[in-house]
Amino acid sequence: MSLLLPLIALFLLVLTPVLLLQLYFSFHQWTVYLSTWWDAEYVGFDLFDSVLTDPRFGWAALRSLAFAASSTIGCFVFGFILAYLMYKPFRGQSLYYIIFILPMLTVPVVVAYTAEMMLYRNGPINDAISRLLNVDFQASWLTNPHLALTTAALLEIWNWTPFSFIIMLAGLTSIPKEPIEAAEILGASKWRIFWEVQVPLLRPVILLALVLRFREAMA
């Protein structure tokens, strides 16, 4: 119980006041530059009604789900591949580990600002593509509605693949050796060992990685 006390204190002192404040703003109409928040007008469920009846809300929800689903799958696939390549010790493993987790250690604001500069209409990405294809390529990666969602998902995948990588690497290294050794003695191929031994043992870890990543992507 003593181990949970810091977590309980954090929830009560930090998260609970924020939650109560969010609930307060959900039922009150407040404009930050017109009045103080404690003088906000009570409007009941009017804010919920205006949001849920807005036709743009449905499309926004679908885009959020598409973004979360695609980025979650992308992070998991790349993270799992990297973890599978890394879970057996080899020379220089620590260096590769540091390189692979660097994107997650980068502050999201820095990622967004750098991506904006690189993906600008006249930025280095379009310039490199123009030189490579010998055409005047000026795609609007962040403003074109047909490209913006894909671009944002790819940036999210790059930024958070290390998260799935760390979880899956921990899962792979914790698999007991006995089932794998038994399958090898019986003559099972590496593919059958992976699909019929390792993946079933990794199901709880895979579920954890997918749920946590999807939850963060929807936040």
Side-chain angles (χ1 to χ4, degrees):
M1 182 64 182
S2 60
L3 295 176
L4 295 178
L5 287 178
L7 182 61
I8 296 173
L10 175 67
F11 180 80
L12 293 177
L13 300 177
V14 178
L15 299 181
T16 300
V18 173
L19 175 62
L20 294 176
L21 193 61
Q22 288 290 336
L23 289 174
Y24 174 85
F25 287 136
S26 298
F27 295 98
H28 291 77
Q29 182 71 46
W30 177 57
T31 304
V32 63
Y33 53 82
L34 292 181
S35 63
T36 55
W37 63 270
W38 54 84
D39 292 327
E41 178 186 2
Y42 176 77
V43 294
F45 289 94
D46 290 350
L47 295 177
F48 293 92
D49 181 67
S50 62
V51 170
L52 295 176
T53 56
D54 191 331
R56 295 173 297 179
F57 174 77
W59 288 110
L62 287 176
R63 284 193 293 269
S64 297
L65 288 173
F67 168 80
S70 60
S71 63
T72 297
I73 293 172
C75 288
F76 172 75
V77 170
F78 288 110
F80 189 93
I81 292 173
L82 292 177
Y84 193 79
L85 295 174
M86 286 279 293
Y87 86 99
K88 291 183 178 179
F90 60 90
R91 178 178 293 182
Q93 186 182 40
S94 301
L95 176 62
Y96 285 101
Y97 183 82
I98 294 172
I99 294 174
F100 290 155
I101 67 171
L102 276 178
M104 192 177 69
L105 301 179
T106 307
V107 180
V109 175
V110 175
V111 175
Y113 185 71
T114 305
E116 182 183 13
M117 291 190 297
M118 295 185 65
L119 297 172
Y120 187 66
R121 191 175 180 85
N122 295 319
I125 298 295
N126 285 341
D127 181 64
I129 296 175
S130 299
R131 293 176 184 274
L132 183 64
L133 301 179
N134 198 24
V135 295
D136 185 17
F137 188 83
Q138 292 189 351
S140 300
W141 298 101
L142 299 175
T143 57
N144 187 328
H146 301 293
L147 296 174
L149 183 62
T150 303
T151 303
L154 290 175
L155 290 172
E156 183 82 353
I157 290 171
W158 177 85
N159 194 191
W160 287 104
T161 289
F163 178 79
S164 298
F165 163 69
I166 293 172
I167 293 178
M168 297 312 303
L169 183 61
L172 284 167
T173 54
S174 65
I175 292 178
K177 297 180 180 180
E178 289 79 8
I180 298 176
E181 292 175 350
E184 290 175 345
I185 293 173
L186 294 174
S189 63
K190 290 185 178 181
W191 170 252
R192 292 196 64 183
I193 292 174
F194 169 75
W195 191 250
E196 297 181 11
V197 178
Q198 291 177 305
V199 170
L201 293 174
L202 285 173
R203 283 175 183 169
V205 182
I206 292 173
L207 180 62
L208 176 66
L210 291 174
V211 170
L212 291 179
R213 182 80 277 280
F214 184 82
R215 181 181 177 276
E216 195 280 332
M218 285 293 295

